[in-house]
Amino acid sequence: MRSRTRRLANRVLAGAEEVGAEVDLIDLADLQIAPCTACESCSLDGKCIFADDFPAAYDRMLDADGLVLASPVYIDNVSGQMKVFIDRLADAIHCQTFAGKYGCSVATTQVSGGDAVVGYLNHVLNYLGVTTVGGMSVALDENPEALDRAEPAAHDLGRQLLLAIDKQPRYPEQEAEMAENREYFAGIVQANRDWRPEEYERWVREGWIRED
Ligand SMILES: Cc1cc2nc3c(=O)[nH]c(=O)nc-3n(C[C@H](O)[C@H](O)[C@H](O)COP(=O)(O)O)c2cc1C
């Protein structure tokens, strides 16, 4: 299927690939992922009640050092497919399983909402404990050349992502926000300690929970 968003995401990946990254594209349009029903089963053992395509996508993300989120703008927001996927990441956010990775976000739109969607996707990455290195949106506006014109910036974003993975730069503002989030999530990890001791111990090892 023709997707401008996938083309833009692929250009970011190509930029990272050019400087040595191994890349892997997960296209949510190819996957069957059920919406979260707030049953809270994942907070018991990290597993969802739905046996669908989510766990395999999650494992591929866990394997990566960098994450690129990409969505078209649908009525001033991310696509429904992306939102369903993000909701299924609630346990990954609470447990901070992606912490330490770097990431960036891209969006395409006809006219409006692109920057807001990039801002939201980068916010989700920060929620996951992922440090963001930037983002970009492209307004197509019936212009067949808009994507081609965005290619250098998309390549550069991919290169910046790989550079960050390599050099591990620190972003104090993001660190402060993520530390504040972790204080809240620590309460959840502590409350689940009896049935998820390995998560609790990982948080103690990371220094995110201090044992008395
Ligand atoms: C359901 C739907 C809602 C959309 N909402 C907006 C919108 O609010 N603002 C806008 O400028 N473009 C909107 N668009 C246009 C898409 O953002 C734009 O065509 C996008 O680049 C599509 O990406 P794709 O080629 O990967 O599907 C919408 C398109 C669809 C199908």
Side-chain angles (χ1 to χ4, degrees):
M1 225 172 59
R2 182 190 71 131
S3 162
R4 276 89 33 117
T5 311
R6 189 174 50 215
R7 274 174 60 197
L8 181 61
N10 268 323
R11 284 168 189 191
V12 177
L13 297 185
E17 212 170 10
E18 265 170 24
V19 284
E22 193 184 312
V23 301
D24 177 22
L25 179 84
I26 300 171
D27 193 335
L28 295 178
D30 296 335
L31 307 184
Q32 297 291 333
I33 296 179
C36 176
T37 60
C39 72
E40 295 190 13
S41 173
C42 62
S43 67
L44 291 177
D45 59 2
K47 292 198 179 69
C48 183
I49 53 161
F50 295 118
D52 57 16
D53 292 332
F54 176 81
Y58 175 85
D59 286 346
R60 282 160 71 185
M61 287 170 67
L62 213 50
D63 270 351
D65 298 313
L67 300 173
V68 181
L69 295 184
S71 175
V73 173
Y74 278 5
I75 321 296
D76 289 343
N77 216 309
V78 293
S79 68
Q81 293 91 322
M82 178 57 93
K83 187 57 169 64
V84 164
F85 184 72
I86 289 169
D87 291 349
R88 291 284 296 275
L89 290 168
D91 190 64
I93 289 173
H94 290 158
C95 295
Q96 295 282 283
T97 47
F98 294 129
K101 298 182 192 298
Y102 284 85
C104 64
S105 301
V106 296
T108 66
T109 177
Q110 193 58 39
V111 186
S112 58
D115 290 346
V117 161
V118 167
Y120 173 69
L121 291 172
N122 274 345
H123 167 71
V124 170
L125 286 170
N126 282 167
Y127 246 167
L128 285 160
V130 175
T131 303
T132 58
V133 301
M136 64 179 287
S137 69
V138 179
L140 302 162
D141 205 11
E142 313 293 347
N143 182 349
E145 284 161 20
L147 266 184
D148 290 332
R149 272 199 261 116
E151 181 161 348
H155 269 235
D156 193 53
L157 188 57
R159 277 194 294 271
Q160 292 304 324
L161 180 57
L162 196 72
L163 198 69
I165 292 165
D166 197 31
K167 302 265 188 259
Q168 304 275 304
R170 300 187 63 169
Y171 294 80
E173 258 179 49
Q174 291 187 53
E175 275 181 31
E177 189 185 319
M178 291 193 279
E180 200 177 309
N181 291 339
R182 273 189 203 120
E183 267 178 47
Y184 179 76
F185 302 141
I188 297 173
V189 174
Q190 249 154 346
N192 295 348
R193 178 182 180 177
D194 286 348
W195 50 92
R196 296 183 78 178
E198 70 298 331
E199 273 315 321
Y200 178 82
E201 280 152 26
R202 188 172 65 84
W203 274 61
V204 171
R205 274 199 310 279
E206 295 282 3
W208 299 334
I209 288 178
R210 258 186 300 280
E211 280 188 309
D212 306 318

